[in-house]
Amino acid sequence: MAKMTDATRRNAATGETYAPHLEPRYREIATFLRAPLAERLDALDIALVGIPFDGGVSNRPGARLGPREIRNQSSLMRSIHHVTRQDPFAQARIADIGDVRFSSIYDLGRVSDDIATHYRAIHQAGVIPLSAGGDHSVTYPILRGLAADAPVGLIQIDAHTDTWDDFQGSKFHHGGPFRLACEAGLIDPKRTVQIGIRGAQNTAQGWDYSDASGMRVMFMEEVDALGIEAVIAEARRVVGDGPVYLSFDIDSVDPAFAPGTGTPEVGGLTSLQALQLVRGFRGLPLIGADVVEVAPPFDPSGNTALLGATLMYELLCLLAEQRATA
């Protein structure tokens, strides 16, 4: 059983301790899900991490601002889940540990190395990371940090397979992280499921690579025909009982609900389907998860970032319950 968290901060002026996630939601420094800030990993079960990087986008930038706006919108979250009645803050030691720092933001290879180093340290400390991107290129180095010892399963909820080859002379772009991860032996393609794929392409390269490598690709038409419960069952069948990573690209959701993203594709999941889908992976042995591609400049309403924050909360519930029952 994981040690329960003392999810408190200390007021610098008065010395009073208090739980920030129980304060009025308009107060406090914006952290992910109103969790306390932490500068160390040794007293944590779950680390909330921002990756403010969008140097891997192929068209519209803006996801570098995702972590900041998700933090802002996550002040609307409360602690107890209305369906499961879970309180993740009562189940695990959770804190926001800030953002990944970059040694050279204009060098894509060094950015990848910086992220991998950051997550390797989190993994070695026995802490599970829950991350907010950033564009989807960041998931490859996250996996470099978490899955260097043996390949893991992957649940990818996305409009695109992200298994394309080099783009404009670079392999570090948001259309290729899972090809890189597969080729590096970080994910097991036969334990990989890609859910919600859709949208026309100029080349079938990504779809073909996913198929040829053995990944289970569920196009949105199949998702719609089967229904969410059957999709969950199929995904759980594919990944099995071994360690698995979950990556949620916000463009899997229809732009009617989430317009603030770099590559929107109509005909996607509703926000309710997205939440139900994530909730359906309760009990899987997750080694980490991320929400990526929230680009606030394309959604002045803030609704895309609010959905991103809500998905992070759903994922946090999965991770906290896992730690509490370990």
Side-chain angles (χ1 to χ4, degrees):
M1 177 74 70
K3 180 181 178 181
M4 299 311 172
T5 182
D6 178 20
T8 61
R9 291 181 190 159
R10 182 180 296 276
N11 184 286
T14 66
E16 177 188 9
T17 59
Y18 60 96
H21 69 282
L22 299 179
E23 290 291 299
R25 290 176 291 164
Y26 54 84
R27 296 210 292 221
E28 296 303 311
I29 297 169
T31 61
F32 287 123
L33 306 169
R34 298 192 292 160
L37 288 166
E39 296 180 352
R40 297 168 60 94
L41 294 169
D42 55 3
L44 295 183
D45 295 312
I46 300 168
L48 308 175
V49 191
I51 314 176
F53 174 78
D54 62 8
V57 297
S58 55
N59 187 18
R60 307 198 305 182
R64 71 185 68 180
L65 303 176
R68 178 170 291 184
E69 190 56 24
I70 290 173
R71 283 187 173 101
N72 289 338
Q73 293 294 335
S74 73
S75 67
L76 293 168
M77 300 296 101
R78 299 182 179 93
S79 57
I80 302 174
H81 197 287
H82 72 287
V83 175
T84 65
R85 300 302 172 95
Q86 285 178 261
D87 180 351
F89 293 97
Q91 293 178 299
R93 300 169 297 179
I94 301 160
D96 188 330
I97 64 167
D99 291 344
V100 175
R101 293 182 59 82
F102 302 111
S103 57
S104 179
I105 197 73
Y106 299 111
D107 184 326
L108 300 185
R110 287 178 65 179
V111 165
S112 183
D113 289 343
D114 290 339
I115 296 171
T117 298
H118 196 89
Y119 281 82
R120 191 172 299 115
I122 293 171
H123 183 61
Q124 289 174 349
V127 177
I128 300 176
L130 173 55
S131 311
D135 70 53
H136 220 159
S137 69
V138 305
T139 305
Y140 166 59
I142 290 175
L143 289 167
R144 286 177 58 197
L146 301 183
D149 296 332
V152 300
L154 174 71
I155 297 172
Q156 177 193 347
I157 305 170
D158 204 327
H160 313 100
T161 61
D162 292 352
T163 48
W164 280 265
D165 206 344
D166 291 6
F167 178 74
Q168 293 292 303
S170 176
K171 62 181 179 179
F172 301 111
H173 59 87
H174 71 165
F178 301 112
R179 186 185 190 113
L180 292 177
C182 185
E183 291 174 347
L186 303 173
I187 60 173
D188 180 349
K190 292 182 172 54
R191 293 186 58 232
T192 293
V193 59
Q194 300 175 313
I195 303 170
I197 308 304
R198 64 189 186 280
Q201 298 292 332
N202 290 326
T203 171
Q205 179 190 105
W207 305 327
D208 292 345
Y209 182 90
S210 292
D211 284 338
S213 64
M215 298 179 186
R216 175 69 166 95
V217 182
M218 304 188 76
F219 284 86
M220 192 61 210
E221 288 72 17
E222 182 182 6
V223 172
D224 182 59
L226 289 177
I228 294 300
E229 290 300 321
V231 171
I232 291 167
E234 173 64 0
R236 295 181 74 108
R237 181 196 68 79
V238 171
V239 300
D241 298 326
V244 62
Y245 187 85
L246 195 156
S247 185
F248 194 104
D249 189 325
I250 206 73
D251 71 19
S252 63
V253 180
D254 193 280
F257 302 92
T261 190
T263 314
E265 300 282 1
V266 301
L269 298 167
T270 67
S271 55
L272 176 59
Q273 287 175 318
L275 299 178
Q276 292 171 330
L277 185 57
V278 168
R279 202 174 300 153
F281 299 125
R282 190 177 182 185
L284 287 180
L286 296 170
I287 64 166
D290 63 52
V291 176
V292 298
E293 297 282 355
V294 172
F298 297 106
D299 184 6
S301 74
N303 283 341
T304 306
L306 175 59
L307 178 56
T310 308
L311 288 162
M312 284 192 71
Y313 170 74
E314 291 282 349
L315 289 164
L316 181 65
C317 287
L318 301 186
L319 298 175
E321 182 178 45
Q322 173 182 314
R323 268 304 170 96
T325 56

